[in-house]
């Protein structure tokens, strides 16, 4: 008990000495040992690495899980060292609602069939998102957390020890300076000077040792950057894979919806004797629903086995023509197609045997095939 009390008193004295030294330095009343420029640069780089790692980590968590309540829940599970329960993604939940809606509204109706197709695509998108979140968490978020919770805590601990050693060293320098000043006035301070010099040598040794330890840890930040660079490449790779999967799923869905467009919307031009669309009128134009462009089928103007029609010999059918506004720029793939510019008006019509995804478009004396999904048909 006596030993503990002595240690407590000693620690209290050291703490008080450091506090006095720190306060006097702040008020400019005491000298401070400055670190070399290289060491200061290492400290600044370490602080910058820590700050940016925190920001990148937090924002990546937001990207992967936008719901703040869900992020708090996952954080609590991690702190309690418990497995985070599996959570349905937004895409999977949307797919579930669409599938249930299709079942209730009629799975054999055009709307029900489309709901089913979109639900399947959304389900695949949700599964791809789940895989991306899992991969990004392991390959990117975990290394960043390990740095902040491991390496950085060690660096911070050693930096605090270095700060304490520096305060002790400067306090010893101040005591030696006072002892030498008193020695000049009286010879009674010889022992005090020797004691102060001995304390200074010990403090200098401890400071140099701690500075070397801290320097080695700070120089290890370069290895941290290399590790984070590798993790960043893996994150980009997983993100690329995720978006590529999403693109493929949506492209397949667009093709499915585009191939059934003629059956679902009978108002689309077809090569029949009687016009399937309403007759032209002088009333104000009404527009059909605009859709994003689908990749049109490149089967040509005639069904397989028949000779393709010559565009120069093509004439508008007896059923008449319609005006259409171009929604998106389109670059002609070959001489049989007509290049389009967004917002321009062209004349369009269909011919017997044409692919339902295509129409004949005319602009002045130019003529060629144009994809239906790039047009807004006016009646």
């Amino acid at each position: 008990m006596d030993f503990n009390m002595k240690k407590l008193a000693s620690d209290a004295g050291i703490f008080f000495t450091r506090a006095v030294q720190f306060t006097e330095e702040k008020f400019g009343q005491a000298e401070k040992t400055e670190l070399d420029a290289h060491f200061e640069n290492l400290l600044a780089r370490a602080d910058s690495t820590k700050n940016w790692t925190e920001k990148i980590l937090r924002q990546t968590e937001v990207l992967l899980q936008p719901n703040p309540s869900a992020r708090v829940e996952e954080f609590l599970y991690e702190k309690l060292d418990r497995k985070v329960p599996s959570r349905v993604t937004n895409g999977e939940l949307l797919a579930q609602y669409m599938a249930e809606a299709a079942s209730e509204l009629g799975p054999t109706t055009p709307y029900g069939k489309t709901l089913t197709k979109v639900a399947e695509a959304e389900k695949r998108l949700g599964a791809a998102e789940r895989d991306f979140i899992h991969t990004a968490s392991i390959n990117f978020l975990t290394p960043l957390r390990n740095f902040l919770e491991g390496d950085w805590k060690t660096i911070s601990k050693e930096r605090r020890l270095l700060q304490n050693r520096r305060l002790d060293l400067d306090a010893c320098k101040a005591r030696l300076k006072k002892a030498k000043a008193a020695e000049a006035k009286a010879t009674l301070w010889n022992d005090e000077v020797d004691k102060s010099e001995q304390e200074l040598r010990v403090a200098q040794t401890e400071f140099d040792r701690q500075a070397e330890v801290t320097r080695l840890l700070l120089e290890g930040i370069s290895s941290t950057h290399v590790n984070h660079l590798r993790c960043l490449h893996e994150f980009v790779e997983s993100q690329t894979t995720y978006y590529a999967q999403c693109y493929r799923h949506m492209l397949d869905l667009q093709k499915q919806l585009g191939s059934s467009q003629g059956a679902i919307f009978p108002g689309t031009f077809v090569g029949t004797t009687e016009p399937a669309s309403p007759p032209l009128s002088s009333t104000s134009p009404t527009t059909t629903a605009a859709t994003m462009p689908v990749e049109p089928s490149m089967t040509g103007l005639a069904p397989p086995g028949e000779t393709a029609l010559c565009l120069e010999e093509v004439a508008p059918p007896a059923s008449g023509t319609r005006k259409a506004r171009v929604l998106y720029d389109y670059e002609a793939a070959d001489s049989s197609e007509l290049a389009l510019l967004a917002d321009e008006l062209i004349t369009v019509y269909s011919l017997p045997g044409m692919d339902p995804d295509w129409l004949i478009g005319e602009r002045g004396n130019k003529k060629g095939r144009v994809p239906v999904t790039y047009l807004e048909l006016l009646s």
Side-chain angles (χ1 to χ4, degrees), residues 310-318 321 349-352 360 362 367:
C310 180
L311 288 176
E312 289 75 8
E313 300 175 358
V314 169
T321 62
Y349 52 88
S350 181
L351 294 175
I360 298 297
E362 291 186 1
K367 182 186 305 183

Side-chain angles (χ1 to χ4, degrees), residues 20-304:
V20 171
Q21 177 65 26
F22 182 80
T23 303
E24 290 179 347
E25 288 176 358
K26 288 298 182 182
F27 286 99
Q29 299 175 355
E31 296 181 357
K32 176 182 177 181
T33 300
E34 299 292 343
L35 301 171
D36 61 79
H38 176 63
F39 202 101
E40 292 288 354
N41 290 336
L42 291 176
L43 289 174
R45 188 175 67 153
D47 289 335
S48 181
T49 300
K50 180 256 184 182
N51 293 334
W52 284 113
T53 299
E54 284 182 335
K55 292 180 179 180
I56 292 173
L57 173 64
R58 299 292 174 258
Q59 192 56 39
T60 306
E61 290 175 338
V62 173
L63 173 68
L64 299 180
Q65 178 51 265
N67 188 340
S69 300
R71 292 201 303 272
V72 171
E73 181 182 353
E74 292 175 358
F75 174 79
L76 293 177
Y77 273 104
E78 290 178 1
K79 290 302 180 182
L80 295 175
D81 199 19
R82 296 179 60 183
K83 183 179 179 180
V84 180
S86 178
R87 181 178 287 105
V88 178
T89 63
N90 293 329
E92 291 172 326
L93 187 60
L94 177 60
Q96 178 183 341
Y97 290 163
M98 286 185 170
E100 293 175 356
S103 177
E104 183 172 338
L105 299 177
T108 59
T109 63
Y111 183 41
K113 290 180 180 178
T114 304
L115 277 174
T116 301
K117 292 178 181 179
V118 177
E120 293 174 354
E122 293 294 338
K123 185 176 181 180
R124 289 193 291 269
L125 290 176
E129 180 184 3
R130 182 191 301 276
D131 293 340
F132 167 60
I133 293 174
H134 178 72
T135 303
S137 298
I138 294 177
N139 296 338
F140 190 61
L141 292 184
T142 299
L144 297 186
R145 290 196 189 100
N146 290 341
F147 166 72
L148 293 174
E149 297 175 1
D151 295 348
W152 181 253
K153 286 188 176 180
T154 301
I155 291 175
S156 300
K157 176 183 176 182
E158 297 301 330
R159 287 178 65 175
R160 288 193 297 270
L161 288 175
L162 178 63
Q163 173 74 350
N164 291 336
R165 295 291 182 262
R166 186 196 63 75
L167 290 173
D168 294 341
L169 174 63
D170 290 337
C172 290
K173 289 179 179 179
R175 284 197 297 270
L176 178 60
K177 186 176 181 180
K178 292 179 180 178
K180 287 184 176 181
E183 183 184 28
K185 298 179 181 180
T187 58
L188 301 177
W189 288 87
N190 286 336
D191 294 341
E192 187 67 24
V193 171
D194 294 341
K195 181 181 178 182
S196 298
E197 289 178 345
Q198 177 63 24
E199 291 178 350
L200 178 60
R201 285 192 292 270
V202 173
Q204 185 69 56
T205 301
E206 292 180 351
F207 172 78
D208 292 341
R209 184 186 300 112
Q210 186 59 39
E212 184 63 23
V213 172
T214 307
R215 184 192 302 273
L216 291 175
L217 288 174
L218 294 175
E219 290 175 347
I221 291 293
S222 298
S223 299
T224 299
H225 287 182
V226 173
N227 183 41
H228 287 183
L229 175 62
R230 178 182 58 81
C231 296
L232 184 59
H233 278 284
E234 293 179 355
F235 174 71
V236 172
E237 184 67 25
S238 62
Q239 198 170 30
T240 303
T241 301
Y242 167 62
Y243 286 119
Q245 290 175 341
C246 292
Y247 174 75
R248 287 195 299 269
H249 295 327
M250 294 309 299
L251 197 60
D252 292 341
L253 177 61
Q254 281 186 322
K255 289 179 179 179
Q256 293 178 38
L257 298 182
S259 63
S260 61
Q261 186 177 16
I264 296 176
F265 301 107
T268 305
F269 275 102
V270 291
T272 58
T273 305
E274 296 296 329
S277 58
L280 299 176
S281 64
S282 58
T283 57
S284 59
T286 58
T287 61
T288 59
T291 58
M292 287 299 292
V294 212
E295 284 196 349
S297 171
M298 302 300 292
T299 56
L301 292 173

